[in-house]
Amino acid sequence: MSATIDPGAASGPDDRFAELDRLRVSSPLYDAVIDEVKGRRIRIGDHWLADFASCNYLGFDLDPEIIDSVADALRMWGTHPSWSRLLGNPRPYADIEERLTALLGAPDTLVLPTITHIHLSVIPVLAEGGWIALDDRAHKTVYDGCSVARGRGGTVCRFPTGDLDALAALLRRAPAGGANAGTSKAGTSKAGTSKAGTSKLICMDGVNSMTGNAPDLAAFAALAREHDALLYVDDAHGFGVLGERAADEPCPYGVRGNSIVRHVGETYDNIILVGGFSKAYSSLLAFLALPTALKNRLKVAAAPYLYSGPSPVASLATVLAGFDVNNARGDTIRSDLYRKSARVLAHVRRLGLATPNTSGLPIIEIPLDDADAVDAVGRFLYDAGIYVTLAAYPLVPRSEVGFRIQVTAANGDDEIDELCQTLSALVARFPVRTRAG
Ligand SMILES: Cc1ncc(COP(=O)(O)O)c(C=O)c1O
């Protein structure tokens, strides 16, 4: 579930999760056991559904070329390296980091098993007991990383999502210090040598996992540079989908899928980009784009590099094969993904629904007028053969409870027809929020 926990909205942990726990038991869309997968259709018991809850945006999970890459890799490396990365790195690790660095046009990259591992271990290292400004709609895992940093003496302030003025005001009041880890262009920052309490970090999402929209990254980067702060961006949902702009790009997502920094034509000065392969690339691996000095520091300071089991060999193989497919066919796949997302969005707009999505990206949230209807709406969609992510409280604030549709290139046009028909029927039956509302 890639959603944002509303961190301050309820009195105690038991209260906060009661509603979700009730849905976990009552809703067929939570905690389901999937018995079979055929293309983007899934079977639960004897009920087949079109899956619009998958983050496999490019359909790499089903790509024969990528699937076929696994067997040879397993024969060569076994199923799992089992060394922590500090102890030993099978050659695919070096190949992945080299190819990823080139794809992103970044100074260097470091891969670790998941983004969750990265946030929990790297944000506290970057903060070093210093100061963090946290976007109040950043992903829960970013929030958790900041909580660990706070537990190690850091100060965490929150700013309303997208609000540059509020962030600027916070930065003006922040204690003197700067971006550590050698990320600024002029080399004026401290290259990982800053003392505890002297760093300034801004943590936020790239493409937001619920709204499907991206922040004005260039403006945030400029603000970070102006205040000698480090901008830490989680683009889990942008990597593989958004990419650099090109005169001959087949769709507005850009080309190459090399993430939000390249999409907006930015450099990596004062920016640490975090992304993952577990969405568009359908593989269990995640990365940081960062300066080599910081990479070397994290090799001894970030727990997952030292202590955690690494990603399975099958994941390393599918990442490498994913790069090949991305080179050969990625832009065609993205163009198809754009077309399919546009079909759904056009229908949502025709129905007058109030989705926050203004980007055209394949994440389409539909808020309900009545948060209490979420269970019944979920049941209706399930019965109609449509599988979505229920965006229940506290995964989203109560005012935004609804459901999230995710489109992938592997969804057939027949499935999109079924989705659109079901949305039309849903609007006639339930209090779904309209654009005017
Ligand atoms: C924005 C965002 N960040 C991080 C994560 C967690 O990624 P991982 O599974 O690699 O830990 C998710 C997963 O849903 C996400 O949506």
Side-chain angles (χ1 to χ4, degrees), residues 289-320:
L290 73 187
T292 304
L294 175 58
K295 173 175 175 166
N296 288 334
R297 177 143 167 267
L298 291 177
K299 285 184 175 184
V300 292
Y305 198 88
L306 286 79
Y307 302 112
S308 296
S311 289
V313 166
S315 288
L316 305 180
T318 52
V319 166
L320 286 167

Side-chain angles (χ1 to χ4, degrees), residues 1-4 55 57 112-119 138-142 205-210 234-237 274-279 283-286 404 406:
M1 164 75 64
S2 49
T4 306
C55 297
Y57 299 117
L112 290 168
T114 68
I115 298 179
T116 306
H117 281 96
I118 289 176
H119 292 334
H139 193 261
K140 172 72 165 80
T141 53
V142 177
D205 285 0
V207 173
N208 184 278
S209 61
M210 295 309 294
D234 174 346
D235 200 30
H237 294 268
V274 178
F277 293 89
S278 72
K279 310 217 180 294
S283 204
L284 191 86
L285 197 65
R404 181 183 65 179
Q406 278 161 300

Side-chain angles (χ1 to χ4, degrees), residues 43-218:
R43 180 172 63 79
I44 297 175
D46 56 6
H47 190 50
W48 281 94
L49 302 106
D51 178 11
F52 288 99
S54 162
C55 297
N56 293 301
Y57 299 117
L58 302 177
F60 281 8
D61 55 322
L62 303 167
D63 191 289
E65 190 178 331
I66 295 176
I67 292 171
D68 287 350
S69 71
V70 172
D72 282 351
L74 292 189
R75 267 188 288 276
M76 187 171 299
W77 298 105
T79 57
H80 191 242
S82 186
W83 305 291
S84 77
R85 285 208 61 192
L86 186 68
L87 291 188
N89 294 282
R91 169 64 53 194
Y93 271 107
D95 295 342
I96 287 170
E97 287 179 352
E98 193 181 316
R99 292 184 67 173
L100 181 61
T101 300
L103 176 66
L104 298 174
D108 209 337
T109 53
L110 176 70
V111 297
L112 290 168
T114 68
I115 298 179
T116 306
H117 281 96
I118 289 176
H119 292 334
L120 288 173
S121 62
V122 173
I123 293 175
V125 172
L126 293 175
E128 288 197 282
W131 183 92
I132 303 175
L134 168 63
D135 179 328
D136 70 354
R137 296 305 304 274
H139 193 261
K140 172 72 165 80
T141 53
V142 177
Y143 185 86
D144 285 349
C146 291
S147 298
V148 176
R150 184 167 40 208
R152 295 192 197 158
T155 303
V156 181
C157 310
R158 289 166 56 195
F159 63 94
T161 192
D163 191 336
L164 284 154
D165 292 339
L167 176 59
L170 283 179
L171 283 161
R172 281 194 293 275
R173 291 200 303 272
N180 69 30
T183 56
S184 72
K185 189 175 189 183
T188 51
S189 57
K190 302 174 188 68
T193 58
S194 67
K195 295 193 182 72
T198 60
S199 62
K200 275 191 270 188
L201 196 60
I202 302 162
C203 292
M204 60 192 288
D205 285 0
V207 173
N208 184 278
S209 61
M210 295 309 294
T211 66
N213 296 329
D216 182 351
L217 193 78

Side-chain angles (χ1 to χ4, degrees), residues 171-360:
L171 283 161
R172 281 194 293 275
R173 291 200 303 272
N180 69 30
T183 56
S184 72
K185 189 175 189 183
T188 51
S189 57
K190 302 174 188 68
T193 58
S194 67
K195 295 193 182 72
T198 60
S199 62
K200 275 191 270 188
L201 196 60
I202 302 162
C203 292
M204 60 192 288
D205 285 0
V207 173
N208 184 278
S209 61
M210 295 309 294
T211 66
N213 296 329
D216 182 351
L217 193 78
F220 279 97
L223 201 53
R225 289 172 194 138
E226 187 190 328
H227 290 270
D228 196 20
L230 189 57
L231 183 61
Y232 180 95
V233 182
D234 174 346
D235 200 30
H237 294 268
F239 175 66
V241 178
L242 282 184
E244 64 193 64
R245 308 309 298 263
D248 59 349
E249 62 189 22
C251 80
Y253 295 166
V255 297
R256 304 184 71 205
N258 49 9
S259 203
I260 187 168
V261 174
R262 297 301 302 273
H263 184 69
V264 299
E266 267 299 332
T267 69
Y268 289 89
D269 297 339
N270 288 62
I271 295 180
I272 303 289
L273 174 71
V274 178
F277 293 89
S278 72
K279 310 217 180 294
Y281 275 66
S282 311
S283 204
L284 191 86
L285 197 65
F287 67 83
L288 295 131
L290 73 187
T292 304
L294 175 58
K295 173 175 175 166
N296 288 334
R297 177 143 167 267
L298 291 177
K299 285 184 175 184
V300 292
Y305 198 88
L306 286 79
Y307 302 112
S308 296
S311 289
V313 166
S315 288
L316 305 180
T318 52
V319 166
L320 286 167
F323 286 145
D324 292 340
V325 172
N326 186 53
N327 279 344
R329 295 184 264 123
D331 291 337
T332 309
I333 295 171
R334 275 180 283 276
S335 173
D336 189 40
L337 176 64
Y338 172 73
R339 180 185 65 79
K340 287 169 176 164
S341 304
R343 278 197 63 199
V344 177
L345 278 164
H347 190 73
V348 162
R349 292 197 182 106
R350 260 195 304 279
L351 292 174
L353 299 178
T355 179
N357 182 314
T358 54
S359 65

